[in-house]
Amino acid sequence: SGNDHGYIASVVATYWFVSISMVYLNKVLMSSEGISIPAPLFVTWFQCIVTALICWMAGQVGESFRNSTAALGADADGKPSFFAQFPKAEYKINTGRKVFPLS
């Protein structure tokens, strides 16, 4: 339906905005004379850690929304709450071992 197309377009636009913003932020941090950080590995590592923490927190919030009785209801279109859509982040050691050679 039309509402689904709008939702998908907003997700794509948000992803595009965040991705392009990160590219320009990294360019400024790595090459600007005034605020250059001479540690590209640290910047990359820090961005990965922050992303992992955001995903973990979104998963915790999503789980609490799914477990609460108020969030069990859906909106008028039958879609679950925005926060209830985030899956809980899990680390499975066996899966990690299987995909490790791919990295």
Coordinates of all heavy atoms in Angstrom, one line a residue:
S1 N 0.8 -1.2 0.0 CA 0.0 0.0 0.0 C 0.9 1.2 0.0 O 2.1 1.2 0.2 CB -0.9 0.0 1.2 OG -0.2 0.2 2.4
G2 N 0.3 2.4 -0.1 CA 1.0 3.7 -0.2 C 1.7 4.0 1.1 O 2.8 4.5 1.1
N3 N 1.1 3.6 2.2 CA 1.8 3.8 3.5 C 3.1 3.0 3.6 O 4.1 3.5 4.2 CB 0.8 3.6 4.7 CG 1.3 4.2 6.0 OD1 2.2 5.0 6.0 ND2 0.7 3.7 7.1
D4 N 3.0 1.8 3.1 CA 4.2 0.9 3.2 C 5.4 1.5 2.3 O 6.5 1.5 2.7 CB 3.9 -0.5 2.7 CG 3.1 -1.3 3.6 OD1 3.1 -0.9 4.8 OD2 2.4 -2.2 3.2
H5 N 5.0 2.1 1.2 CA 6.0 2.7 0.3 C 6.6 3.9 1.0 O 7.9 4.1 0.9 CB 5.4 3.1 -1.0 CG 4.9 2.0 -1.9 ND1 5.8 1.0 -2.3 CD2 3.7 1.7 -2.3 CE1 5.1 0.1 -3.0 NE2 3.8 0.5 -3.0
G6 N 5.8 4.7 1.7 CA 6.4 5.8 2.5 C 7.3 5.4 3.6 O 8.3 6.0 3.8
Y7 N 6.9 4.3 4.3 CA 7.7 3.8 5.4 C 9.1 3.3 4.8 O 10.1 3.6 5.4 CB 7.0 2.7 6.1 CG 7.8 2.0 7.2 CD1 8.0 2.7 8.4 CD2 8.4 0.8 7.0 CE1 8.7 2.1 9.4 CE2 9.1 0.2 8.0 CZ 9.3 0.9 9.2 OH 10.0 0.3 10.2
I8 N 9.0 2.6 3.7 CA 10.3 2.0 3.1 C 11.1 3.2 2.6 O 12.4 3.2 2.8 CB 9.9 1.1 2.0 CG1 9.3 -0.2 2.6 CG2 11.2 0.7 1.2 CD1 8.7 -1.1 1.5
A9 N 10.5 4.2 2.0 CA 11.3 5.3 1.6 C 11.9 6.1 2.7 O 13.1 6.5 2.6 CB 10.4 6.3 0.8
S10 N 11.2 6.2 3.8 CA 11.8 6.9 5.0 C 13.0 6.1 5.6 O 14.0 6.7 6.0 CB 10.8 7.1 6.1 OG 10.4 5.9 6.7
V11 N 12.9 4.8 5.6 CA 14.0 3.9 6.1 C 15.2 4.1 5.2 O 16.4 4.3 5.6 CB 13.6 2.5 6.2 CG1 14.8 1.5 6.4 CG2 12.6 2.3 7.3
V12 N 15.0 4.0 3.9 CA 16.1 4.2 2.9 C 16.7 5.6 3.0 O 18.0 5.7 3.0 CB 15.6 3.9 1.5 CG1 16.7 4.3 0.4 CG2 15.2 2.4 1.3
A13 N 15.9 6.6 3.1 CA 16.4 8.0 3.3 C 17.2 8.2 4.5 O 18.3 8.8 4.5 CB 15.3 9.0 3.2
T14 N 16.8 7.6 5.6 CA 17.5 7.7 6.9 C 18.8 6.9 6.8 O 19.9 7.5 7.2 CB 16.7 7.1 8.0 OG1 15.4 7.8 8.1 CG2 17.4 7.2 9.4
Y15 N 18.8 5.8 6.2 CA 20.1 5.0 6.0 C 21.1 5.8 5.2 O 22.2 5.9 5.5 CB 19.8 3.6 5.4 CG 21.1 2.9 5.1 CD1 21.7 2.2 6.1 CD2 21.6 2.9 3.8 CE1 22.9 1.5 5.8 CE2 22.8 2.2 3.5 CZ 23.4 1.5 4.6 OH 24.6 0.8 4.3
W16 N 20.6 6.4 4.1 CA 21.4 7.2 3.2 C 22.0 8.4 3.9 O 23.2 8.6 3.8 CB 20.6 7.6 2.0 CG 21.4 8.5 1.0 CD1 22.1 8.0 0.0 CD2 21.4 9.9 1.0 NE1 22.7 9.1 -0.7 CE2 22.3 10.2 -0.1 CE3 20.9 10.9 1.8 CZ2 22.6 11.6 -0.4 CZ3 21.2 12.2 1.5 CH2 22.0 12.5 0.4
F17 N 21.1 9.1 4.7 CA 21.6 10.3 5.4 C 22.7 9.9 6.4 O 23.7 10.6 6.5 CB 20.4 10.9 6.1 CG 20.8 12.1 7.0 CD1 21.1 13.3 6.4 CD2 20.9 11.9 8.4 CE1 21.5 14.4 7.2 CE2 21.3 13.0 9.2 CZ 21.6 14.2 8.6
V18 N 22.5 8.8 7.2 CA 23.4 8.4 8.2 C 24.7 8.0 7.6 O 25.8 8.4 8.0 CB 22.8 7.3 9.1 CG1 23.9 6.7 10.0 CG2 21.7 7.9 10.0
S19 N 24.6 7.2 6.5 CA 25.8 6.7 5.8 C 26.7 7.9 5.2 O 27.9 7.9 5.4 CB 25.4 5.8 4.7 OG 24.8 4.6 5.2
I20 N 26.0 8.8 4.5 CA 26.7 9.9 4.0 C 27.3 10.8 5.1 O 28.4 11.3 5.0 CB 25.8 10.7 3.0 CG1 25.4 9.9 1.8 CG2 26.5 12.0 2.6 CD1 26.5 9.4 1.0
S21 N 26.6 11.0 6.2 CA 27.1 11.8 7.3 C 28.3 11.2 7.9 O 29.3 11.9 8.2 CB 26.0 11.9 8.4 OG 24.9 12.6 7.9
M22 N 28.4 9.8 8.0 CA 29.5 9.2 8.5 C 30.7 9.3 7.6 O 31.9 9.5 8.0 CB 29.2 7.7 8.8 CG 28.3 7.4 9.9 SD 28.8 8.1 11.5 CE 30.3 7.2 11.8
V23 N 30.5 9.3 6.3 CA 31.6 9.5 5.3 C 32.2 10.9 5.5 O 33.4 11.0 5.6 CB 31.1 9.3 3.9 CG1 32.1 9.8 2.9 CG2 30.7 7.8 3.6
Y24 N 31.4 11.9 5.6 CA 31.9 13.3 5.8 C 32.5 13.5 7.1 O 33.5 14.2 7.3 CB 30.8 14.3 5.5 CG 30.6 14.4 4.0 CD1 29.3 14.0 3.4 CD2 31.5 14.9 3.1 CE1 29.1 14.1 2.1 CE2 31.3 15.0 1.8 CZ 30.1 14.6 1.3 OH 29.9 14.7 -0.1
L25 N 31.9 12.9 8.2 CA 32.5 13.0 9.5 C 33.9 12.3 9.5 O 34.9 12.9 10.0 CB 31.6 12.3 10.5 CG 32.2 12.2 12.0 CD1 32.3 13.6 12.5 CD2 31.3 11.4 12.8
N26 N 34.0 11.2 8.9 CA 35.3 10.5 8.9 C 36.3 11.4 8.1 O 37.5 11.4 8.4 CB 35.2 9.1 8.3 CG 34.6 8.2 9.2 OD1 34.6 8.4 10.4 ND2 34.0 7.1 8.7
K27 N 35.9 12.0 7.0 CA 36.8 12.8 6.2 C 37.3 14.0 7.0 O 38.5 14.3 7.0 CB 36.1 13.3 4.9 CG 37.0 14.2 4.1 CD 36.4 14.4 2.7 CE 37.3 15.3 1.8 NZ 38.7 15.0 1.8
V28 N 36.4 14.6 7.7 CA 36.8 15.7 8.6 C 37.8 15.3 9.7 O 38.8 15.9 9.9 CB 35.6 16.4 9.2 CG1 36.0 17.4 10.3 CG2 34.8 17.2 8.1
L29 N 37.4 14.2 10.3 CA 38.3 13.7 11.4 C 39.6 13.2 11.0 O 40.6 13.3 11.7 CB 37.6 12.5 12.2 CG 36.4 12.9 13.0 CD1 35.7 11.6 13.6 CD2 36.7 13.9 14.1
M30 N 39.7 12.7 9.7 CA 41.0 12.2 9.3 C 41.9 13.2 8.5 O 43.1 13.0 8.5 CB 40.7 11.0 8.4 CG 39.9 9.9 9.0 SD 40.8 9.0 10.2 CE 39.5 7.8 10.6
S31 N 41.3 14.2 7.9 CA 42.1 15.0 7.1 C 42.0 16.5 7.4 O 42.8 17.3 6.8 CB 41.6 14.8 5.6 OG 40.3 15.3 5.4
S32 N 41.2 17.0 8.3 CA 41.2 18.4 8.6 C 42.4 18.8 9.4 O 42.9 18.1 10.3 CB 39.9 18.7 9.5 OG 39.9 20.0 9.9
E33 N 42.9 20.0 9.1 CA 44.1 20.5 9.8 C 43.8 20.8 11.3 O 44.7 20.5 12.1 CB 44.6 21.8 9.1 CG 45.0 21.6 7.7 CD 46.4 21.0 7.5 OE1 47.2 21.3 8.4 OE2 46.7 20.3 6.5
G34 N 42.7 21.3 11.5 CA 42.4 21.8 12.9 C 42.0 20.7 13.9 O 42.4 20.7 15.0
I35 N 41.2 19.7 13.4 CA 40.7 18.7 14.3 C 41.1 17.3 13.9 O 40.4 16.3 14.2 CB 39.2 18.8 14.6 CG1 38.5 18.7 13.2 CG2 38.8 20.1 15.3 CD1 37.0 18.6 13.4
S36 N 42.1 17.1 13.1 CA 42.5 15.8 12.6 C 42.9 14.9 13.7 O 43.6 15.2 14.7 CB 43.7 16.0 11.6 OG 44.0 14.7 11.1
I37 N 42.4 13.7 13.7 CA 42.7 12.6 14.6 C 43.7 11.7 13.9 O 43.3 11.0 12.9 CB 41.5 11.9 15.1 CG1 40.6 12.8 15.9 CG2 41.9 10.7 16.0 CD1 39.3 12.2 16.3
P38 N 44.9 11.6 14.3 CA 45.9 10.8 13.6 C 45.8 9.3 14.0 O 46.8 8.6 14.1 CB 47.2 11.4 14.1 CG 47.0 11.9 15.4 CD 45.6 12.3 15.4
A39 N 44.6 8.8 14.2 CA 44.4 7.4 14.7 C 43.2 6.8 13.9 O 42.2 6.6 14.5 CB 44.3 7.4 16.2
P40 N 43.4 6.5 12.6 CA 42.2 6.0 11.9 C 41.7 4.7 12.4 O 40.5 4.4 12.4 CB 42.7 5.9 10.5 CG 44.2 5.9 10.5 CD 44.5 6.7 11.8
L41 N 42.6 3.9 12.9 CA 42.1 2.6 13.5 C 41.3 2.8 14.7 O 40.3 2.1 14.9 CB 43.3 1.7 13.8 CG 43.0 0.3 14.2 CD1 42.2 -0.4 13.2 CD2 44.3 -0.5 14.5
F42 N 41.7 3.8 15.6 CA 40.9 4.1 16.8 C 39.5 4.6 16.4 O 38.5 4.2 17.0 CB 41.6 5.1 17.7 CG 40.7 5.6 18.8 CD1 40.5 4.7 19.9 CD2 40.1 6.8 18.8 CE1 39.7 5.1 21.0 CE2 39.3 7.2 19.8 CZ 39.1 6.4 20.9
V43 N 39.4 5.5 15.4 CA 38.1 6.1 15.0 C 37.2 5.0 14.5 O 36.1 4.9 14.9 CB 38.3 7.2 13.9 CG1 37.0 7.6 13.4 CG2 39.1 8.4 14.5
T44 N 37.8 4.1 13.7 CA 37.0 3.0 13.1 C 36.5 2.0 14.3 O 35.4 1.6 14.3 CB 37.8 2.2 12.1 OG1 38.3 3.1 11.1 CG2 37.0 1.1 11.5
W45 N 37.4 1.7 15.2 CA 37.1 0.8 16.3 C 36.0 1.5 17.2 O 35.0 0.8 17.5 CB 38.4 0.6 17.1 CG 38.1 -0.2 18.4 CD1 38.0 -1.5 18.5 CD2 38.0 0.4 19.7 NE1 37.8 -1.9 19.8 CE2 37.8 -0.7 20.6 CE3 38.0 1.7 20.2 CZ2 37.6 -0.5 21.9 CZ3 37.8 1.8 21.5 CH2 37.6 0.8 22.4
F46 N 36.2 2.8 17.4 CA 35.2 3.5 18.3 C 33.8 3.5 17.6 O 32.8 3.3 18.3 CB 35.7 4.9 18.6 CG 34.8 5.7 19.5 CD1 34.8 5.4 20.9 CD2 34.0 6.7 19.0 CE1 34.0 6.1 21.7 CE2 33.2 7.4 19.9 CZ 33.2 7.1 21.2
Q47 N 33.8 3.8 16.3 CA 32.5 3.8 15.6 C 31.8 2.4 15.7 O 30.6 2.3 15.8 CB 32.7 4.2 14.2 CG 33.0 5.7 14.1 CD 33.3 6.1 12.7 OE1 33.5 5.3 11.8 NE2 33.4 7.4 12.4
C48 N 32.6 1.3 15.5 CA 32.1 0.0 15.6 C 31.5 -0.3 17.0 O 30.5 -0.9 17.2 CB 33.1 -1.1 15.3 SG 33.5 -1.1 13.5
I49 N 32.3 0.1 18.1 CA 31.8 -0.1 19.4 C 30.5 0.7 19.7 O 29.6 0.1 20.3 CB 32.9 0.3 20.4 CG1 34.1 -0.6 20.3 CG2 32.4 0.3 21.9 CD1 33.8 -2.1 20.6
V50 N 30.4 1.9 19.3 CA 29.2 2.7 19.5 C 28.1 2.1 18.7 O 27.0 2.0 19.3 CB 29.5 4.2 19.1 CG1 28.2 5.0 19.0 CG2 30.5 4.9 20.0
T51 N 28.3 1.6 17.5 CA 27.2 1.0 16.7 C 26.7 -0.3 17.4 O 25.5 -0.5 17.5 CB 27.7 0.7 15.3 OG1 28.1 1.9 14.7 CG2 26.6 0.0 14.5
A52 N 27.6 -1.1 17.9 CA 27.3 -2.3 18.7 C 26.5 -2.0 19.9 O 25.5 -2.6 20.2 CB 28.5 -3.1 19.0
L53 N 26.9 -0.9 20.6 CA 26.1 -0.5 21.8 C 24.7 0.0 21.5 O 23.7 -0.3 22.2 CB 26.9 0.6 22.6 CG 28.1 0.1 23.4 CD1 28.9 1.2 23.9 CD2 27.7 -0.9 24.5
I54 N 24.6 0.8 20.4 CA 23.3 1.2 20.0 C 22.4 0.1 19.6 O 21.2 0.0 20.0 CB 23.4 2.2 18.8 CG1 24.0 3.5 19.3 CG2 22.1 2.5 18.2 CD1 24.4 4.5 18.2
C55 N 22.9 -0.9 18.9 CA 22.1 -2.1 18.5 C 21.7 -2.9 19.8 O 20.6 -3.4 19.9 CB 22.9 -3.0 17.6 SG 23.2 -2.3 15.9
W56 N 22.6 -3.0 20.7 CA 22.3 -3.8 21.9 C 21.2 -3.0 22.7 O 20.3 -3.7 23.2 CB 23.6 -3.9 22.8 CG 23.3 -4.6 24.1 CD1 23.2 -6.0 24.3 CD2 23.1 -4.0 25.4 NE1 22.9 -6.2 25.6 CE2 22.8 -5.0 26.3 CE3 23.1 -2.7 25.8 CZ2 22.6 -4.8 27.6 CZ3 22.8 -2.4 27.1 CH2 22.6 -3.5 28.0
M57 N 21.4 -1.7 22.9 CA 20.3 -0.9 23.6 C 19.0 -1.0 22.9 O 18.0 -1.1 23.5 CB 20.8 0.5 23.8 CG 21.9 0.7 24.8 SD 22.3 2.4 25.3 CE 22.6 3.2 23.7
A58 N 19.0 -0.9 21.6 CA 17.7 -1.0 20.8 C 17.1 -2.3 21.0 O 15.9 -2.4 21.1 CB 18.0 -0.7 19.3
G59 N 17.9 -3.4 21.1 CA 17.4 -4.7 21.3 C 16.8 -4.8 22.7 O 15.7 -5.5 22.9
Q60 N 17.4 -4.2 23.7 CA 16.9 -4.3 25.1 C 15.6 -3.5 25.2 O 14.6 -4.0 25.8 CB 17.9 -3.7 26.1 CG 19.2 -4.4 26.2 CD 18.9 -5.8 26.8 OE1 18.2 -6.0 27.7 NE2 19.6 -6.8 26.2
V61 N 15.5 -2.3 24.5 CA 14.3 -1.6 24.5 C 13.2 -2.3 23.8 O 12.0 -2.4 24.2 CB 14.5 -0.2 23.9 CG1 13.2 0.6 23.7 CG2 15.4 0.7 24.8
G62 N 13.5 -2.9 22.6 CA 12.6 -3.7 21.9 C 12.0 -4.9 22.7 O 10.8 -5.1 22.6
E63 N 12.9 -5.6 23.4 CA 12.4 -6.7 24.2 C 11.5 -6.2 25.3 O 10.4 -6.8 25.6 CB 13.6 -7.4 24.8 CG 13.2 -8.7 25.6 CD 14.4 -9.4 26.1 OE1 15.4 -8.8 26.5 OE2 14.3 -10.7 26.2
S64 N 11.8 -5.1 26.0 CA 10.9 -4.6 27.0 C 9.6 -4.1 26.4 O 8.6 -4.3 27.1 CB 11.6 -3.5 27.8 OG 11.8 -2.3 27.0
F65 N 9.6 -3.6 25.2 CA 8.3 -3.2 24.6 C 7.5 -4.4 24.2 O 6.3 -4.4 24.4 CB 8.6 -2.3 23.3 CG 8.6 -0.9 23.6 CD1 9.7 -0.2 24.2 CD2 7.5 -0.1 23.2 CE1 9.6 1.1 24.4 CE2 7.5 1.3 23.4 CZ 8.6 1.9 24.0
R66 N 8.2 -5.4 23.8 CA 7.4 -6.6 23.4 C 6.9 -7.3 24.7 O 5.8 -7.9 24.6 CB 8.3 -7.6 22.7 CG 8.5 -7.2 21.2 CD 9.3 -8.3 20.4 NE 10.6 -8.6 21.0 CZ 11.7 -7.9 20.7 NH1 11.6 -6.8 20.0 NH2 12.8 -8.3 21.3
N67 N 7.6 -7.2 25.8 CA 7.1 -7.9 27.0 C 6.1 -7.1 27.8 O 5.4 -7.6 28.6 CB 8.3 -8.1 27.9 CG 9.2 -9.2 27.4 OD1 8.8 -10.0 26.6 ND2 10.5 -9.2 27.8
S68 N 6.0 -5.8 27.5 CA 5.0 -5.0 28.2 C 3.6 -5.2 27.6 O 3.5 -5.4 26.4 CB 5.4 -3.5 28.2 OG 5.2 -3.0 26.9
T69 N 2.6 -5.2 28.4 CA 1.3 -5.4 27.9 C 0.8 -4.2 27.1 O 0.0 -4.4 26.1 CB 0.3 -5.6 29.1 OG1 0.4 -4.4 30.0 CG2 0.6 -6.8 29.8
A70 N 1.3 -3.0 27.3 CA 0.8 -1.8 26.5 C 1.4 -1.9 25.1 O 0.7 -1.5 24.2 CB 1.3 -0.6 27.2
A71 N 2.5 -2.5 24.9 CA 3.1 -2.6 23.6 C 2.6 -3.7 22.7 O 2.9 -3.9 21.6 CB 4.6 -2.7 23.7
L72 N 1.8 -4.6 23.3 CA 1.3 -5.8 22.6 C 0.3 -5.3 21.5 O 0.1 -6.0 20.5 CB 0.7 -6.8 23.5 CG 1.7 -7.5 24.4 CD1 0.9 -8.5 25.4 CD2 2.7 -8.3 23.6
G73 N -0.3 -4.2 21.8 CA -1.3 -3.7 20.8 C -0.6 -3.2 19.6 O 0.6 -2.8 19.6
A74 N -1.2 -3.1 18.5 CA -0.6 -2.6 17.2 C -1.3 -1.3 16.9 O -2.3 -0.9 17.4 CB -0.8 -3.6 16.1
D75 N -0.7 -0.6 16.0 CA -1.3 0.7 15.5 C -2.4 0.4 14.6 O -2.9 -0.8 14.4 CB -0.2 1.6 14.9 CG 0.4 1.0 13.6 OD1 -0.1 0.0 13.1 OD2 1.3 1.6 13.1
A76 N -3.0 1.4 14.0 CA -4.2 1.3 13.2 C -3.9 0.4 12.0 O -4.9 -0.3 11.5 CB -4.7 2.7 12.7
D77 N -2.7 0.3 11.5 CA -2.4 -0.5 10.3 C -2.0 -1.9 10.7 O -1.7 -2.7 9.8 CB -1.2 0.1 9.5 CG -1.5 1.5 8.9 OD1 -2.7 1.7 8.6 OD2 -0.6 2.3 8.8
G78 N -2.0 -2.2 12.0 CA -1.7 -3.6 12.4 C -0.2 -3.8 12.6 O 0.2 -4.9 12.8
K79 N 0.6 -2.7 12.5 CA 2.0 -2.9 12.7 C 2.4 -2.7 14.2 O 1.7 -2.0 14.9 CB 2.8 -1.8 11.9 CG 2.6 -1.9 10.4 CD 3.4 -0.8 9.7 CE 3.2 -0.9 8.2 NZ 3.8 0.2 7.5
P80 N 3.4 -3.5 14.6 CA 3.8 -3.3 16.0 C 4.5 -2.0 16.3 O 4.8 -1.3 15.3 CB 4.8 -4.5 16.2 CG 5.3 -4.8 14.8 CD 4.2 -4.4 13.9
S81 N 4.7 -1.7 17.5 CA 5.3 -0.4 17.9 C 6.7 -0.4 17.2 O 7.3 -1.4 17.0 CB 5.5 -0.4 19.4 OG 6.5 0.5 19.8
F82 N 7.2 0.9 17.0 CA 8.5 1.1 16.3 C 9.6 0.3 17.1 O 10.4 -0.4 16.6 CB 8.8 2.6 16.2 CG 10.2 2.9 15.8 CD1 10.5 2.7 14.4 CD2 11.2 3.3 16.7 CE1 11.8 3.0 14.0 CE2 12.4 3.5 16.2 CZ 12.8 3.4 14.9
F83 N 9.6 0.5 18.4 CA 10.7 -0.1 19.3 C 10.5 -1.6 19.4 O 11.5 -2.3 19.6 CB 10.7 0.6 20.6 CG 11.2 2.0 20.6 CD1 10.3 3.0 20.8 CD2 12.5 2.3 20.4 CE1 10.7 4.4 20.7 CE2 13.0 3.6 20.4 CZ 12.1 4.6 20.5
A84 N 9.3 -2.1 19.3 CA 9.1 -3.5 19.4 C 9.7 -4.3 18.2 O 9.8 -5.5 18.3 CB 7.6 -3.8 19.6
Q85 N 10.1 -3.6 17.2 CA 10.6 -4.3 16.0 C 12.1 -4.6 16.1 O 12.6 -5.4 15.3 CB 10.4 -3.3 14.7 CG 9.0 -3.1 14.4 CD 8.8 -2.1 13.3 OE1 9.5 -2.2 12.3 NE2 7.9 -1.2 13.4
F86 N 12.8 -4.1 17.1 CA 14.2 -4.3 17.2 C 14.4 -5.7 17.9 O 13.9 -5.9 19.0 CB 14.9 -3.2 18.1 CG 15.0 -1.9 17.4 CD1 14.1 -0.9 17.6 CD2 16.1 -1.7 16.5 CE1 14.2 0.3 16.9 CE2 16.2 -0.5 15.8 CZ 15.3 0.5 16.0
P87 N 15.2 -6.6 17.2 CA 15.5 -7.9 17.9 C 16.5 -7.8 19.0 O 17.3 -6.8 19.0 CB 16.0 -8.7 16.7 CG 16.6 -7.7 15.8 CD 15.8 -6.5 15.9
K88 N 16.4 -8.7 19.9 CA 17.4 -8.7 21.0 C 18.8 -9.1 20.4 O 18.8 -10.1 19.6 CB 17.0 -9.6 22.1 CG 17.9 -9.7 23.3 CD 17.5 -10.6 24.3 CE 18.5 -10.6 25.5 NZ 18.1 -11.5 26.5
A89 N 19.8 -8.4 20.7 CA 21.2 -8.8 20.2 C 21.7 -10.0 21.0 O 21.7 -10.0 22.3 CB 22.1 -7.6 20.4
E90 N 22.1 -11.0 20.3 CA 22.7 -12.2 21.0 C 24.0 -12.5 20.3 O 24.2 -12.3 19.1 CB 21.7 -13.4 20.8 CG 20.4 -13.2 21.4 CD 19.5 -14.5 21.1 OE1 19.7 -15.1 20.0 OE2 18.7 -14.8 21.9
Y91 N 24.9 -13.1 21.0 CA 26.1 -13.6 20.4 C 26.2 -15.1 20.7 O 26.1 -15.6 21.8 CB 27.4 -12.9 21.0 CG 28.6 -13.4 20.4 CD1 29.0 -13.0 19.1 CD2 29.4 -14.4 21.0 CE1 30.1 -13.5 18.5 CE2 30.6 -14.8 20.4 CZ 30.9 -14.4 19.1 OH 32.0 -14.9 18.5
K92 N 26.2 -15.8 19.6 CA 26.3 -17.3 19.7 C 27.7 -17.7 19.2 O 28.1 -17.5 18.1 CB 25.2 -17.9 18.8 CG 23.8 -17.5 19.2 CD 22.8 -18.1 18.3 CE 21.4 -17.7 18.8 NZ 20.4 -18.1 17.8
I93 N 28.5 -18.3 20.2 CA 29.9 -18.6 19.9 C 30.0 -19.6 18.7 O 31.0 -19.4 17.9 CB 30.5 -19.2 21.2 CG1 32.1 -19.3 21.0 CG2 30.0 -20.5 21.6 CD1 32.8 -18.0 21.0
N94 N 29.1 -20.5 18.6 CA 29.2 -21.5 17.4 C 29.0 -20.8 16.1 O 29.7 -21.1 15.1 CB 28.2 -22.6 17.6 CG 28.6 -23.6 18.7 OD1 29.8 -23.7 19.1 ND2 27.6 -24.2 19.3
T95 N 28.1 -19.8 16.0 CA 27.9 -19.1 14.8 C 29.2 -18.2 14.5 O 29.6 -18.1 13.4 CB 26.7 -18.2 14.9 OG1 25.5 -19.0 15.2 CG2 26.4 -17.4 13.6
G96 N 29.7 -17.6 15.6 CA 30.9 -16.8 15.4 C 32.1 -17.6 14.9 O 32.8 -17.2 14.0
R97 N 32.2 -18.9 15.4 CA 33.3 -19.7 14.9 C 33.1 -20.1 13.4 O 34.0 -20.2 12.6 CB 33.3 -21.0 15.7 CG 33.9 -20.8 17.1 CD 34.1 -22.1 17.8 NE 34.6 -21.9 19.1 CZ 34.2 -22.5 20.2 NH1 33.2 -23.4 20.1 NH2 34.7 -22.2 21.4
K98 N 31.8 -20.3 13.0 CA 31.5 -20.7 11.6 C 31.8 -19.5 10.6 O 32.3 -19.8 9.5 CB 30.1 -21.1 11.5 CG 29.8 -22.5 12.1 CD 28.3 -22.8 12.0 CE 28.0 -24.1 12.7 NZ 26.6 -24.4 12.7
V99 N 31.5 -18.3 11.0 CA 31.7 -17.2 10.1 C 33.1 -16.5 10.3 O 33.4 -15.7 9.4 CB 30.6 -16.1 10.3 CG1 29.2 -16.7 10.0 CG2 30.7 -15.4 11.7
F100 N 33.8 -16.9 11.3 CA 35.2 -16.3 11.5 C 36.1 -16.4 10.2 O 36.7 -15.4 9.8 CB 35.8 -16.9 12.7 CG 37.2 -16.3 12.9 CD1 37.3 -15.0 13.4 CD2 38.3 -17.0 12.6 CE1 38.6 -14.5 13.6 CE2 39.6 -16.5 12.8 CZ 39.7 -15.2 13.3
P101 N 36.1 -17.6 9.6 CA 37.0 -17.6 8.4 C 36.5 -16.7 7.3 O 37.3 -16.4 6.4 CB 36.8 -19.1 7.9 CG 36.3 -19.8 9.1 CD 35.5 -18.8 9.9
L102 N 35.3 -16.2 7.3 CA 34.8 -15.3 6.2 C 35.3 -13.9 6.4 O 35.2 -13.1 5.5 CB 33.3 -15.4 6.2 CG 32.7 -16.7 5.9 CD1 31.2 -16.6 6.0 CD2 33.1 -17.3 4.6
S103 N 35.8 -13.6 7.7 CA 36.1 -12.2 7.9 C 37.6 -12.0 7.7 O 38.4 -12.8 7.5 CB 35.8 -11.8 9.4 OG 36.4 -12.7 10.3

